[in-house]
Amino acid sequence: MPLWLVTAVAGVALRQADRLWQAAQRPGHGGLPALMRHQRARSNDITPALLMAGQWTQIAGCWMLADQLGPLGWCAAAIGVAVQLRHLQEVSHFAVHGALTRTRRVGTLLSEALVHHPLGFVPLTVRRHRHVRDHHPNATVAGIDPNLAELTDAGLTVGVGAGRFALSLIHPLTPRGAAANISALARNLRPVPGSRLRAVTVALVLALAYTVGGWSAVVFGWLIPRLLLYPQLAWLSLLVEHTWFDPASAPPGATHAELEAGRCLRLYPRNRILAVLAASTWLPYGDLHHFAHSAHPGVRWNHLPALERQLGLPYYAPGALMLGASSVVGRHRQALQAKPEPHRALGPLATSATK
């Protein structure tokens, strides 16, 4: 068996420790309180470290692959590393919410050491403020939500033309989007007090990639995935998190879950094959269940499917990403072409008992 495949399989095996530990003795009933009791009981600082180590082991396997099979190996390595970087981003997202490890401090240290520093992200504290304080309470609110501002800056504005709209869907791959991403990375790597090691850590990652797989690993196993492919996967994830441009207003007295049901969406609710494919690549670690996460941000990804079964689906649960008027992209396009209208009132939230 090729060494790159052995390494990749070893990485997958390391990741299973966290999944199996969280799944053991999971309650079948009892609602959110039972899930949270189970989460607190299984919370620890070891299996998350093994999970992240597994992701990096898989990346090492991709670096080895980049040095073999010529162009085919280059393409496979680039895609494989991009997917793993997307996974690391989403794992650290739960550290942002304090749900990754038993102690928030360990979650922060793990995420800084194994995600934010080697990927050249902003400090976790900055990301926490932007995501938890600015985005979550204000999702889809123009002028406040920083994620909506990103979409707007990319060209997704009312009245956008077909060409500009299409380019906005692949914004990180366009010259403008790639330049913005490279510029942001350069700013993050600039030595400042409290953040002097980021550039050194990225340099060490590049040196390790070269040691494992040569220049092909550096180019196709790091630069292209980090600067182009991973940002595109993250961008697609952002597009399918919310009904960004036409959220439904919740009725008076609505619960927080009912509010989120009007401004979140759930992709592929009836297509298990596409759902599994998305969850294993570009919507990992619970990102497919963004409505359940938005309704209860403190729940770890392991328990979001069970929570979603209790909550039911948000009012918009499309079966397609790109094609058709009812797809996510089609809906966004329609919303940006329509004249501004008052938000629709949200009807009763569907529950698993009524579906």
Side-chain angles (χ1 to χ4, degrees), residues 146-192:
N147 290 8
L148 180 57
E150 285 187 33
L151 297 170
T152 301
D153 291 343
L156 292 170
T157 56
V158 174
V160 62
R164 182 63 185 275
F165 179 81
L167 287 176
S168 297
L169 301 179
I170 57 169
H171 178 65
L173 302 179
T174 65
R176 179 170 171 261
N181 184 46
I182 294 171
S183 177
L185 178 61
R187 287 196 303 271
N188 294 342
L189 297 182
R190 191 178 305 156
V192 295

Side-chain angles (χ1 to χ4, degrees), residues 40-240:
R40 287 191 291 270
R42 307 305 284 180
S43 180
N44 71 98
D45 297 331
I46 303 300
T47 61
L50 294 176
L51 174 61
M52 290 185 173
Q55 302 285 182
W56 279 103
T57 303
Q58 287 183 257
I59 288 174
C62 292
W63 288 343
M64 296 176 187
L65 177 60
D67 196 34
Q68 304 177 30
L69 305 181
L72 180 61
W74 301 342
C75 293
I79 294 171
V81 171
V83 168
Q84 298 311 312
L85 297 186
R86 175 75 186 97
H87 283 218
L88 285 168
Q89 179 205 9
E90 199 59 29
V91 169
S92 63
H93 162 241
F94 285 89
V96 167
H97 287 285
L100 177 61
T101 52
R102 177 179 293 276
T103 55
R104 182 185 290 261
R105 178 175 175 79
V106 172
T108 298
L109 290 174
L110 281 175
S111 296
E112 284 286 6
L114 296 176
V115 184
H116 278 237
H117 273 67
L119 271 62
F121 285 174
V122 296
L124 193 82
T125 52
V126 175
R127 183 180 174 191
R128 179 176 288 130
H129 187 282
R130 185 177 186 273
H131 182 72
V132 176
R133 297 188 181 182
D134 295 343
H135 167 66
H136 263 273
N138 308 297
T140 75
V141 179
I144 304 178
D145 182 2
N147 290 8
L148 180 57
E150 285 187 33
L151 297 170
T152 301
D153 291 343
L156 292 170
T157 56
V158 174
V160 62
R164 182 63 185 275
F165 179 81
L167 287 176
S168 297
L169 301 179
I170 57 169
H171 178 65
L173 302 179
T174 65
R176 179 170 171 261
N181 184 46
I182 294 171
S183 177
L185 178 61
R187 287 196 303 271
N188 294 342
L189 297 182
R190 191 178 305 156
V192 295
S195 184
R196 299 182 183 277
L197 293 178
R198 275 176 169 72
V200 174
T201 307
V202 171
L204 288 175
V205 170
L206 291 171
L208 184 59
Y210 179 78
T211 301
V212 172
W215 285 113
S216 57
V218 172
V219 175
F220 298 99
W222 186 254
L223 294 178
I224 291 176
R226 174 61 184 89
L227 299 178
L228 294 175
L229 300 185
Y230 151 72
Q232 178 61 32
L233 294 180
W235 187 253
L236 288 175
S237 169
L238 183 62
L239 287 171
V240 302

